[in-house]
Amino acid sequence: NVNEILALLHGVEAVHEESVQLKILQTCLVVLQSPGLHPKNADEIFSVISLCFRAMTPRGKGQVTTTASATVRQAVAIAFSYVEVEDAGERGEDSDPSREEYIKASSRLLEDLIALSSGSPARWLQTSSLPNQKTFSLEVLDFALLSHPKLFLSLSAFESSISLRVVQLLQAQLQDHIAAAGKSSNFEGFKAVLKCV
């Protein structure tokens, strides 16, 4: 049962041993990728992805942080792929009634990535500030957009976020860049925003 696994993972999350943290990240990917285990609703999806994000906190050790960073990218891509799989009809008409949950979770995940990219707190992901939060979140957003371009262009749930929020993010980055007379302190973030547009 996915809820039992998530409860166990959340229970051992406070153990800051590198091997435990790496095993949590590995288990998160197994849960997301296993057809019999993967989350069926938005809360379960956010529970898994939040574990990955929290492993990136500044207190994390180098290997854990690096692994968590890669795991977050994969987990986000997998979460968006749930919607794509449902659209393609690969699971059959009545085999998985969770399509609306996947759309809701993916839409919220997109909103949180955009919020983190602008330096704001995430609304649904239970995570504190991350190292290089803006740049990393933009890179994850870029990865998701490149991995699932049709998804973001075909569903209205994503269109408004992309057209409005990403444009606002670009405007803010441009203003920062112009204010610094082209010597933006976050040039990597500026480049990442441009890639997302």
Side-chain angles (χ1 to χ4, degrees):
N1 178 330
V2 71
N3 288 319
E4 292 171 359
I5 294 170
L6 291 175
L8 178 64
L9 292 175
H10 284 284
V12 297
E13 182 182 16
V15 177
H16 296 296
E17 291 179 28
E18 187 173 298
S19 62
V20 173
Q21 293 295 310
L22 292 172
K23 188 57 84 176
I24 289 171
L25 292 166
Q26 179 184 21
T27 305
C28 285
L29 284 179
V30 169
V31 167
L32 289 169
Q33 294 172 325
S34 300
L37 280 180
H38 73 77
K40 301 287 190 247
N41 61 53
D43 290 338
E44 292 173 356
I45 291 170
F46 276 101
S47 183
V48 174
I49 295 176
S50 292
L51 280 164
C52 301
F53 267 95
R54 285 194 300 271
M56 293 180 53
T57 60
R59 63 169 162 50
K61 295 185 172 85
Q63 185 178 2
V64 173
T65 302
T66 303
T67 303
S69 169
T71 304
V72 164
R73 285 179 177 87
Q74 289 178 282
V76 167
I78 292 167
F80 286 118
S81 76
Y82 292 161
V83 178
E84 246 178 22
V85 167
E86 287 297 316
D87 280 348
E90 293 175 21
R91 294 197 184 147
E93 285 295 316
D94 54 1
S95 64
D96 193 348
S98 306
R99 184 171 191 280
E100 291 304 317
E101 283 292 320
Y102 296 143
I103 291 172
K104 180 170 76 171
S106 296
S107 184
R108 289 178 176 177
L109 182 56
L110 178 62
E111 288 290 325
D112 273 1
L113 287 172
I114 293 170
L116 289 169
S117 299
S118 67
S120 301
R123 185 171 173 189
W124 290 280
L125 286 169
Q126 300 115 22
T127 186
S128 57
S129 66
L130 306 169
N132 302 313
Q133 174 176 312
K134 288 182 180 182
T135 303
F136 176 73
S137 300
L138 285 167
E139 290 170 358
V140 172
L141 183 59
D142 178 55
F143 182 75
L145 292 169
L146 289 173
S147 299
H148 306 285
K150 290 180 185 174
L151 175 70
F152 292 105
L153 295 173
S154 64
L155 289 176
S156 61
F158 301 119
E159 281 182 294
S160 63
S161 291
I162 296 298
S163 63
L164 178 65
R165 299 287 309 279
V166 173
V167 170
Q168 290 172 342
L169 193 55
L170 178 61
Q171 288 173 328
Q173 286 287 329
L174 278 171
Q175 288 173 342
D176 288 349
H177 190 68
I178 290 169
K183 297 174 187 159
S184 177
S185 59
N186 187 15
F187 189 69
E188 290 303 313
F190 180 69
K191 289 190 324 189
V193 170
L194 287 176
K195 285 175 64 179
C196 289
V197 178

